[in-house]
Amino acid sequence: MESFEESDPGINALKSSGKSPFADCPTSIKGVLLVDRRVLLVKNSRDEWELPGGRIDEGEDHAETLSREFAEELSIDVTMSTHIDSYLFEVIPGRHVFIVTYGCTLAGEFRPAISHEHTEHCLWPVEWLSELKLPEGYRHSIEKWANTI
């Protein structure tokens, strides 16, 4: 996992352009939402837990992407907070995605309803993340956010 700091010129360009600094790699914006020291996760079709979020639609900034993705995937409203991390993730062998993670805060009631994009959701204690099938980059972002708030 190659990590990039927010002060990197590439990250600042990414934020303004919505494009990945890796030309062949799509960018996915992910959010870390903690509710009572538990992180909100969704399970994907590869039977892995992941952070809610997704690709940027044309004309969106990262905050709009996160807001839309949380609404679509879980029917909840969030507000984007601080940039946590950015890194290249190999989803399956030979297929990479540039991941950008942000801390999020709940902007309404917490009544998640899972969409067709995932099979289930959970609120998982941060200190038990090692028990889940969760990619290392997501774990790092969750722990980093949990240690800052």
Side-chain angles (χ1 to χ4, degrees):
M1 177 181 76
E2 187 174 352
S3 185
F4 302 87
E5 294 300 318
E6 186 169 2
S7 59
D8 286 352
I11 295 305
N12 292 326
L14 170 67
K15 285 181 179 179
S16 61
S17 73
K19 298 191 191 268
S20 171
F22 303 95
D24 336 357
C25 300
T27 296
S28 186
I29 309 302
K30 299 290 188 169
V32 179
L33 176 65
L34 297 176
V35 178
D36 299 325
R37 295 288 302 166
R38 296 177 298 161
V39 64
L40 179 61
L41 298 170
V42 290
K43 190 176 266 190
N44 62 32
S45 60
R46 295 181 307 279
D47 201 35
E48 290 177 332
W49 291 99
E50 65 180 1
L51 294 168
R55 293 187 186 182
I56 303 164
D57 282 351
E58 188 172 333
E60 282 184 332
D61 63 23
H62 291 192
E64 292 167 326
T65 299
L66 272 182
S67 180
R68 177 182 51 77
E69 288 289 344
F70 270 80
E72 287 176 1
E73 294 177 6
L74 293 153
S75 298
I76 61 173
D77 294 323
V78 298
T79 302
M80 184 179 89
S81 186
T82 307
H83 173 259
I84 301 171
D85 202 5
S86 303
Y87 57 92
L88 193 60
F89 174 57
E90 188 171 26
V91 180
I92 56 174
R95 183 171 168 231
H96 294 84
V97 175
F98 187 70
I99 303 289
V100 182
T101 60
Y102 290 92
C104 295
T105 56
L106 193 59
E109 291 186 81
F110 185 73
R111 291 188 180 172
I114 199 75
S115 76
H116 68 280
E117 295 180 54
H118 297 94
T119 58
E120 59 184 294
H121 73 277
C122 73
L123 278 175
W124 194 261
V126 173
E127 61 272 9
W128 296 350
L129 289 174
S130 62
E131 296 179 13
L132 292 178
K133 185 176 179 186
L134 177 73
E136 175 188 339
Y138 293 147
R139 181 175 293 117
H140 174 78
S141 292
I142 294 164
E143 290 170 345
K144 189 172 178 181
W145 180 240
N147 288 329
T148 63
I149 59 169

